[in-house]
Amino acid sequence: MHTAFFLLLGASVARFLLRHPGEPRTPWIIALSITLALLYVLGPALGAAPTLRRLLWLGLVVAVWVVLVVLAPSFAWCAVPLFYTALRTLRPRAAIVLVALLTVFVVAAQLKLSQAGAEPFDPNLLLAPPAVAALATAVFVHMERQATAQRTLIDDLIRTRRELAATERRAGTLAERQRLSMEIHDTLAQHLSSQQMLLQAADRTWDTDPATARAHVRTATEITARGLAEARRLVHDLAPPELAGGGGLADALRALGAGPDIEVRFHLEGTPVPLPDRAESALLRIAQGALANVREHAGARTAALTLSFLGDQVVLDVADDGHGFAGTRPASGERGHGLPAMRARVRQLGGSLTIESTAGEGTVLSASIPLEHTP
């Protein structure tokens, strides 16, 4: 629109100079044209808001244009860009009134120009300016409505994106809380429980069997050291310390124990394949939690850990010779946090957890994870 204004202004000046060479009003026409061009250039610097300076500027532009049209009616069509300037600057009703006045002035200038040329009356001189003004106004109103709808849509999208980001943050926070609760249960809570049992046993045998009591205390001290390492790992969010040495899952499982009164044996079946850190950590935590249950609830003397690589899946079995229970324990019958945490771990990796037991014959816990689902 700015380009159109300057093209129309330049064409009007050229037309006047070509048709009216050497007229006394020529310096005024040139001076007013330069003034109008300079005023129009200042418009964008004043902004689009209807401030007092902007309104004064619009008044000066219209006044200079009116004087130009009075002196040379051929400048009338410069009003088309001024229509949009008025519509952008003024409120809708005031802008429409100004556009109507400018249109009337353009019609009068065209009629004056036609009479000066002794041309016959042309109805287009009465119809064309109002039609152009109406079209310009309609286009501007439509563009404004589209711009408003687009701004509303953009605001909605930004708000939706923020809400989605907040929801994702909340979901991530809940998932992290669940992960930490499982980590704490499978590590720190189990270590503290073992320490309590060992220290209670040491207290009971301190007077009658000091050597055994001291052995319990030393074992509790070792468990305390491992618990401290776990606490530091949780703080720094590092890998399990059993896996940090680079020996792999098999070595970490082989080093696990269930207390001084329970023998733990480890078996490796199949050809080991590299597992993602997440899968190794999950299987290790499941083994730790299962052995903690064996120590606290099974009354077992031996426990067996079996890690099997079966091509398309890796399976961890934890079996004990404790008193067991009748049937297969359903998920709804699980008490505490240990078994639900194990199920959550394998479920996150696309696997499954089963528990089978027979009264008086021990319990077998089996966790299987598909290798194609271990991200």
Side-chain angles (χ1 to χ4, degrees), residues 53-70:
R53 290 190 303 172
R54 178 80 175 178
L55 296 176
L56 291 176
W57 168 83
L58 179 61
L60 286 175
V61 170
V62 172
V64 173
W65 173 79
V66 167
V67 174
L68 265 176
V69 174
V70 170

Side-chain angles (χ1 to χ4, degrees), residues 315-332:
V315 179
L316 173 67
D317 296 314
V318 182
D320 67 74
D321 60 355
H323 49 68
F325 52 88
T328 299
R329 180 174 300 181
S332 59

Side-chain angles (χ1 to χ4, degrees), residues 107-298:
V107 171
Q110 292 298 307
L111 291 175
K112 180 181 177 181
L113 190 63
S114 176
Q115 293 174 359
E119 298 177 359
F121 175 75
D122 186 357
N124 286 330
L125 299 178
L126 291 177
L127 300 178
V132 172
L135 179 62
T137 303
V139 169
F140 179 83
V141 171
H142 178 68
M143 291 172 60
E144 281 292 302
R145 289 177 178 174
Q146 281 191 326
T148 301
Q150 188 177 30
R151 285 193 295 269
T152 302
L153 178 60
I154 291 174
D155 292 340
D156 291 341
L157 289 175
I158 293 175
R159 183 172 58 254
T160 302
R161 187 173 64 179
R162 289 175 178 172
E163 292 174 355
L164 180 61
T167 301
E168 291 177 348
R169 285 194 297 270
R170 287 194 295 270
T173 300
L174 292 176
E176 183 65 12
R177 287 179 178 175
Q178 183 182 17
R179 185 188 71 82
L180 288 176
S181 66
M182 292 188 297
E183 292 280 349
I184 292 173
H185 176 273
D186 293 342
T187 57
L188 298 181
Q190 302 298 347
H191 289 155
L192 291 174
S193 176
S194 299
Q195 294 170 34
Q196 182 183 28
M197 294 176 61
L198 289 168
L199 293 176
Q200 288 175 347
D203 182 63
R204 288 193 300 269
T205 60
W206 192 265
D207 295 328
T208 58
D209 191 355
T212 302
R214 291 189 182 91
H216 289 327
V217 172
R218 286 193 296 270
T219 304
T221 302
E222 295 174 358
I223 295 176
T224 301
R226 291 199 296 269
L228 180 59
E230 289 287 352
R232 289 171 177 171
R233 186 195 65 80
L234 288 174
V235 172
H236 296 90
D237 198 25
L238 300 175
E242 294 88 351
L243 299 173
L249 178 61
D251 291 341
L253 293 175
R254 189 177 286 108
L256 292 180
D261 299 326
I262 301 176
E263 180 186 359
V264 178
R265 296 189 294 268
F266 173 75
H267 305 280
L268 178 64
E269 297 183 359
T271 303
V273 296
L275 296 176
D277 294 341
R278 187 180 178 190
E280 287 189 344
S281 178
L283 291 174
L284 177 62
R285 294 309 183 206
I286 291 172
Q288 289 176 326
L291 291 178
N293 288 339
V294 170
R295 179 179 62 249
E296 295 180 11
H297 308 298

Side-chain angles (χ1 to χ4, degrees), residues 2 15 17 54 72 82-83 97 108 136 156 169 199 237 248 258 274 344:
H2 297 330
R15 182 179 185 277
L17 294 177
R54 178 80 175 178
L82 295 182
F83 291 163
V97 171
D156 291 341
R169 285 194 297 270
L199 293 176
D237 198 25

